[in-house]
Amino acid sequence: MIKKYTQYNDEELLKLLRGKKPEADNAFTEIYKRYAQRVKAYCSVTLNDEDMAADIFQETFIRFYNKAREKKIDVLNVPGLLITTARNLCLNAKRNKKNTVPVDELTGYLEAETNSYEKSELWGLVTMALDLMDEKYKEVFILRELDNFSIKEIAEITGETVACAKSRVFRAHMKLMEILEPYLTDLEESKKN
């Protein structure tokens, strides 16, 4: 009889992951399916370098798997742990990297079903604006708007208080609007003409 791992919650999958193979591998595969896109998008937006983001993405899941198998993690918030691991690896990579590369291939991760020119252009502007933001605001914006973490989860991931996380998310939105205002005004004007 084949088990349906999609029916297990994260806590149950972690318990299975600590068990014997192949059940552990199947549990890991299910966790990967659930959170890979989220972690990949976070790494891509944070690093602005697709090759480095792919390396960090892979390293995040390798570390998670190894720690889970060694029973070194006891956590119920699997996506929070994965993003925290990716965040730390991204911060280390940024610290070790001398030059940053502007974001140009993020659009595919951020677009929904439609590929309209306006939507593509708008996402291009958003990624450009994120590139111009201070890292502390960029990070919380990505966590909140792209990864859909709650303010409390963002506070846990960044090691800040809930009030600080809430303030940074608000300031990130304000900074984004400040950067985008001239472009959005031009976009609105072009639609009227």
Side-chain angles (χ1 to χ4, degrees):
M1 180 168 84
I2 298 174
K3 291 185 179 181
K4 293 188 178 184
Y5 292 90
T6 57
Q7 296 174 353
Y8 290 107
N9 65 31
D10 289 349
E11 184 179 1
E12 293 167 329
L13 289 171
L14 269 176
K15 287 178 185 174
L16 292 172
L17 183 56
R18 293 175 179 143
K20 295 182 180 182
K21 293 188 175 214
E23 195 168 65
D25 291 340
N26 291 332
F28 176 75
T29 300
E30 180 58 32
I31 289 172
Y32 181 86
K33 285 178 185 176
R34 288 181 188 180
Y35 303 114
Q37 190 62 32
R38 197 178 211 183
V39 174
K40 189 173 188 176
Y42 176 83
C43 293
S44 294
V45 173
T46 301
L47 292 172
N48 302 329
D49 180 326
E50 290 302 314
D51 292 332
M52 187 182 292
D55 291 343
I56 298 297
F57 167 75
Q58 185 177 13
E59 181 66 22
T60 298
F61 278 96
I62 290 170
R63 287 187 182 198
F64 173 80
Y65 180 82
N66 290 336
K67 284 182 181 178
R69 293 288 293 155
E70 295 171 6
K71 299 175 177 77
K72 289 186 178 178
I73 55 173
D74 188 32
V75 68
L76 299 179
N77 186 356
V78 172
L81 175 64
L82 287 167
I83 293 294
T84 300
T85 303
R87 174 185 184 259
N88 292 336
L89 291 169
C90 287
L91 291 174
N92 289 341
K94 281 183 155 189
R95 187 174 38 245
N96 296 334
K97 186 178 178 186
K98 302 279 191 250
N99 300 319
T100 60
V101 178
V103 175
D104 60 355
E105 297 178 11
L106 178 64
T107 313
Y109 289 84
L110 301 176
E111 285 185 22
E113 302 101 33
T114 61
N115 285 326
S116 70
Y117 175 76
E118 292 85 13
K119 190 169 192 169
S120 177
E121 186 176 351
L122 181 59
W123 278 119
L125 290 172
V126 169
T127 57
M128 182 234 15
L130 286 172
D131 226 12
L132 296 172
M133 288 175 123
D134 186 296
E135 285 299 317
K136 63 185 178 184
Y137 299 122
K138 178 181 177 178
E139 178 180 39
V140 296
F141 182 85
I142 292 167
L143 290 170
R144 181 71 176 157
E145 299 305 325
L146 303 180
D147 291 329
N148 296 316
F149 279 104
S150 69
I151 298 294
K152 184 179 177 188
E153 290 171 320
I154 292 169
E156 290 172 5
I157 290 168
T158 60
E160 300 290 339
T161 64
V162 171
C164 182
K166 187 174 185 178
S167 174
R168 283 196 182 163
V169 168
F170 175 77
R171 288 181 182 162
H173 282 98
M174 298 309 292
K175 184 67 175 168
L176 184 73
M177 292 309 295
E178 177 185 318
I179 293 169
L180 291 178
E181 184 180 11
Y183 301 104
L184 294 175
T185 303
D186 287 347
L187 191 62
E188 284 298 315
E189 289 298 318
S190 68
K191 283 183 179 179
K192 290 178 184 177
N193 294 333

